[in-house]
Amino acid sequence: MNDPATIRRLYGRRQGHKLRLGQAALVEELLPLISVPEAGTLDARTLFGDDRPMEIEIGFGAGEHLAAQAAAHPETGFIGCEPFLNGVVGALNHVRDGELDNVRLHMGDALDILERVPDESLDRVYLLHPDPWRKARHAKRRMINHGPLDLIARKLKPGAEFRLGTDDPTYCRWSMMVMNARTDFVWQARHPRDFLTRPADWPETRYERKARRQGHEVWYFRYLRR
């Protein structure tokens, strides 16, 4: 299998539009309080003070899915990873407005966080609408590659779930090819409707709604760690 370091570099802008005063205040005041520690093992007791279940979202966008899951499962600890500042600000708004005390954030590379989580400690990992990197020469930049998947598999508990969502046909085909080559994940689809219909406990994001308005199909993949 490939090493996860094959996609260590983060591509794209870290910040979009200039932050407003209220947004900047959130970054200055709230983000330090709920950021993951910069060093050390990231287990549930370290992050949340007890031995609760933990889940990670890789690239949480504006944070609406992360916040919805955290609100629905207050007994679970959620780690959200997002390299882009404007997305982090969106998540901070959700955390503040929802008074969510079971969310921790990392503004940076999710692989750095996954490497520090104990093996077989995660109950679920989410990868929703990752950058598809449509050009063939950019395929190695995709998160669905064997190096990152090896790491994700190692961190999931046996029987735990990996969720992948995409509206990009190229990424859909690529993901099916890569995941079908693996023996450590079991695809939960039995019928086409199983990956064409959003599960009830899969909160819809603004990105998803936008994709549907543009006439895109959305695919929902659920895999269990063998």
Side-chain angles (χ1 to χ4, degrees):
M1 297 295 185
N2 298 328
D3 188 87
T6 57
I7 63 160
R8 298 308 285 182
R9 181 180 171 190
L10 287 169
Y11 298 85
R13 296 182 302 164
R14 293 297 189 96
Q15 183 174 347
H17 59 77
K18 184 178 179 180
L19 298 183
R20 297 188 294 272
L21 286 178
Q23 294 173 323
L26 275 178
V27 173
E28 292 294 325
E29 298 169 9
L30 180 56
L31 183 57
L33 298 178
I34 63 172
S35 288
V36 301
E38 294 184 359
T41 300
L42 298 175
D43 56 25
R45 187 162 290 277
T46 298
L47 293 175
F48 302 102
D50 53 35
D51 294 321
R52 67 179 62 198
M54 284 203 310
E55 303 182 4
I56 286 183
E57 183 167 349
I58 300 171
F60 54 71
E64 60 264 38
H65 175 273
L66 178 69
Q69 292 288 5
H73 304 283
E75 75 289 348
T76 297
F78 291 84
I79 305 173
C81 304
E82 172 61 52
F84 302 111
L85 178 58
N86 296 105
V88 171
V89 170
L92 290 171
N93 275 298
H94 288 299
V95 169
R96 179 199 60 195
D97 296 345
E99 299 182 352
L100 303 174
D101 61 2
N102 58 332
V103 174
R104 301 293 180 267
L105 300 181
H106 171 67
M107 190 172 72
D109 190 345
L111 297 180
D112 293 336
I113 299 305
L114 282 166
E115 287 171 346
R116 295 166 56 198
V117 170
D119 289 355
E120 298 188 357
S121 65
L122 297 177
D123 288 78
R124 190 177 284 172
V125 172
Y126 305 92
L127 177 63
L128 308 183
H129 301 279
D131 194 320
W133 294 108
R134 294 181 180 88
K135 295 181 180 179
R137 68 176 184 271
H138 293 155
K140 65 182 179 181
R141 300 181 183 180
R142 296 168 183 159
M143 186 62 73
I144 295 294
N145 270 302
H146 290 301
L149 289 170
D150 288 346
L151 183 60
I152 291 170
R154 196 165 74 243
K155 302 305 177 176
L156 284 169
K157 297 175 182 177
E161 187 178 26
F162 173 52
R163 288 190 173 186
L164 166 67
T166 184
D167 66 307
D168 185 83
T170 299
Y171 207 86
C172 177
R173 291 191 295 269
W174 172 269
S175 299
M176 292 177 71
M177 178 186 70
V178 173
M179 294 301 293
N180 288 346
R182 301 186 66 91
T183 60
D184 49 359
F185 287 100
V186 181
W187 192 14
Q188 296 305 288
R190 296 293 178 266
H191 306 279
R193 64 177 178 272
D194 294 336
F195 61 94
L196 292 172
T197 304
R198 181 168 52 84
D201 64 343
W202 189 315
E204 187 179 36
T205 66
R206 286 180 291 173
Y207 185 95
E208 216 175 311
R209 289 193 293 273
K210 179 181 178 181
R212 291 198 181 281
R213 286 198 304 270
Q214 294 173 341
H216 297 180
E217 185 61 87
V218 180
W219 294 277
Y220 307 90
F221 293 95
R222 298 174 58 242
Y223 298 90
L224 294 187
R225 177 70 168 92
R226 192 184 298 274

